[in-house]
């Protein structure tokens, strides 16, 4: 199957896809050069409505085992390629949501398939089914077969692979990294590293008292200090218990779960278009920053010291809420002033979709963040941190897997592809085409689209309400475009990094027709 993929060269002439709209007229926007796409399809192809009959049958089956009501449709990942997701009914859709923003370089990327075809990554099977010729000098195939407990028994090349993958894209100033299995797990452990750092700062030495050792066993202070993490209304940092105390995007995430009394600051609600509301937006950001400082002081008084602040560069699940670079710089200053760790959650924004590898690089901070958590497009979870946040003893930040070396191997190749194919600049470029088209649609359909916004391909717009939003997503899906919602009325774009200008134009054409017919 893999070699078939590799050998298939699809050449798509983009002329027919590259129409743009201006002033209500359909125009040929670009005389696009022919582009050779060696594994992408050249457009959506719909056979049934989605979910189709096979998907519905499978949904019923799965729902007998677990609550599967969230399932949109079932996928055929063997047939999915590039920017196109194929479902089990044979529908091929342009995927602008990419598994909740977690497919970095498209489906079945030839470079990843090639990686898995390298002899050292294969378990060779002989004519009688016997395992053959395992190359013991390099632990390739065993990386996929034998998942290690990394904290105690790492493979020989573990440090080398971390350098090749994660450390090669480490954010400025953060040279230490710990891998984890998912985004929640990463934030959860980043919080713990912050608390340990804070307590050590307070102690001034490493001498833990007997009382601390005893009280921590019964969930009491001083062993379990009443520290807190400040988060923002509308933020999403995961669903595990600690993270959930910092997640405030939707009630469905939080209902019935006990939580912690940790401070929650307002996140700016910017008015669009930004250039028309400069003063109002500055005031709004100043109000939120003031509230952050007030909360830090208030929580210190009530002995729930704010040890750290967590924030997304763009609030994603909460509705694609942006704030200015200046806001984040000032927030970083506030964190430093009050001795709080500054943790930037790049689980959704990281990996290049905003046009920089890390979205927070846009801010131009003088003093780097203290920690950056990641997952999704990075294929493995984890967090980068400054040296001072290094756990002061083994087993303090620890679990069985601590990530997965197989994912590091894939990530190293993903990073190669990002560099080789200049995919950060591609995200900037394709994002501009997408946002320009959205702004144009917004002027033509102001009753359906507002607040078009974005950085790189990390774009979104608002619809009038939840029902309209959901209907637009459903109609688009039946026309061969997978979109995602966020917040209470937004539609977000989370395409892969190989989403190009012509994909943007293709989408804009389809969506323009949808809007013209929308009732
Ligand atoms: O409904 C959910 O649980 C969803 S939908 C999208 C996400 C979760 N995103 C995960 C996420 C994130 O966007 C940010 C900014 N931080 C942390 C997380 C948690 O990552 P996971 O899902 O890997 O635990």
């Amino acid at each position: 199957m893999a070699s078939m993929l590799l050998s298939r060269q699809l050449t798509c002439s983009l002329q027919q896809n590259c129409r743009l709209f201006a002033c209500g007229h359909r125009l040929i926007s670009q005389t696009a050069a022919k582009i050779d796409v060696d594994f992408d399809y050249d457009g959506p192809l719909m056979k049934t409505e989605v979910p189709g009959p096979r998907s519905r049958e499978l949904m019923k089956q799965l729902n007998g085992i677990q609550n599967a009501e969230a399932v949109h449709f079932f996928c055929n990942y063997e047939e999915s390629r590039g920017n196109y997701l194929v479902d089990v009914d044979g529908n091929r859709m342009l995927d602008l949501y990419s598994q909740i923003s977690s497919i970095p370089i498209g489906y079945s990327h030839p470079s990843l398939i090639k990686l898995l075809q390298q002899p050292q990554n294969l378990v060779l099977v002989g004519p009688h089914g016997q395992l053959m010729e395992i190359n013991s000098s390099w632990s390739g195939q065993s990386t996929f077969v034998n998942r290690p407990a990394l904290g105690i028994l790492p493979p020989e090349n573990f440090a080398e692979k971390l350098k090749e993958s994660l450390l090669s894209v480490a954010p400025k100033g953060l040279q230490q990294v710990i891998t984890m299995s998912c985004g929640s797990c990463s934030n959860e452990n980043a919080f713990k590293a912050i608390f340990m750092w804070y307590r050590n700062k307070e102690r001034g030495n490493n001498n833990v008292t007997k009382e601390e050792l005893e009280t921590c066993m019964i969930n009491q202070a001083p062993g379990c200090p009443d520290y807190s993490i400040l988060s923002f209304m509308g933020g999403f940092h995961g669903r595990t218990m600690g993270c959930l105390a910092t997640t405030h995007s939707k009630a469905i995430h939080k209902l019935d779960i006990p939580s912690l009394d940790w401070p929650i600051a307002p996140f700016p609600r910017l008015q669009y278009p930004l250039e028309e509301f400069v003063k109002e937006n500055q005031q709004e950001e100043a109000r939120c920053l003031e509230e952050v400082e007030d909360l830090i002081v208030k929580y210190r008084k009530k002995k729930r010291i704010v040890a750290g602040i967590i924030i997304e560069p763009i609030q994603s699940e909460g509705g694609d809420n942006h704030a200015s670079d200046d806001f984040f710089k000032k927030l970083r200053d506030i964190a430093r002033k009050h001795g709080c760790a500054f943790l930037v959650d790049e689980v959704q924004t990281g990996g290049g979709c905003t046009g920089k590898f890390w979205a927070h690089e846009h801010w131009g901070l003088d003093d780097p963040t203290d920690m950056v958590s990641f997952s999704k497009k990075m294929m493995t979870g984890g967090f980068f941190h400054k040296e001072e946040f290094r756990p002061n003893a083994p087993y303090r930040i620890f679990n069985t897997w601590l990530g997965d070396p197989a994912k590091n191997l894939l990530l190293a190749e993903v990073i190669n592809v990002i560099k080789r194919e200049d995919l950060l600049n591609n995200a900037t470029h394709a994002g501009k085409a997408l946002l320009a088209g959205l702004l144009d649609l917004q002027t033509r359909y102001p009753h359906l689209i507002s607040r078009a916004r974005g950085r790189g391909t990390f774009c979104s717009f608002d619809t009038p309400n939840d029902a309209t939003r959901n209907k637009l997503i459903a109609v688009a899906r039946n026309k061969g475009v997978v979109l995602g919602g966020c917040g209470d009325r937004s539609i977000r774009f989370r395409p892969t990094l190989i989403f190009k200008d012509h994909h943007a134009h293709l989408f804009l054409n389809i969506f323009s027709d949808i809007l013209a017919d929308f009732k």
Side-chain angles (χ1 to χ4, degrees), residues 97 100 182-185 187 236-239 253 312 316-317 345 347-348 375-376 492:
Y97 196 36
I100 326 184
C182 70
S184 305
C185 189
N187 284 330
F236 185 100
H237 302 292
R239 291 174 181 252
H253 303 143
E312 295 160 89
S316 308
E317 298 311 303
D345 178 346
V347 168
Q348 192 152 162
S375 192
K376 294 203 188 254
R492 64 175 145 174

Side-chain angles (χ1 to χ4, degrees), residues 279-297:
K279 205 159 147 249
E280 289 83 348
N281 289 337
Q282 277 171 357
Q283 280 169 357
E284 168 67 355
E285 293 191 337
R287 174 186 77 85
C288 295
L289 291 169
E290 209 172 293
E291 183 75 11
V292 169
E293 285 213 76
D294 286 352
L295 281 167
I296 293 173
V297 173

Side-chain angles (χ1 to χ4, degrees), residues 427-476:
T428 304
H429 205 270
K432 272 190 187 140
L434 178 60
L435 188 56
L438 291 175
L439 288 165
D440 176 49
L441 291 176
Q442 176 174 298
T443 55
R444 292 165 52 218
Y445 301 98
H447 59 294
L448 290 171
I449 294 192
S450 61
R451 302 177 84 235
R453 54 199 183 275
R455 203 158 218 178
T457 58
F458 206 98
C459 292
S460 50
F461 61 84
D462 282 7
T463 66
N465 52 50
D466 186 39
T468 308
R469 185 262 308 272
N470 296 347
K471 195 168 160 201
L472 276 169
I473 291 175
V475 175

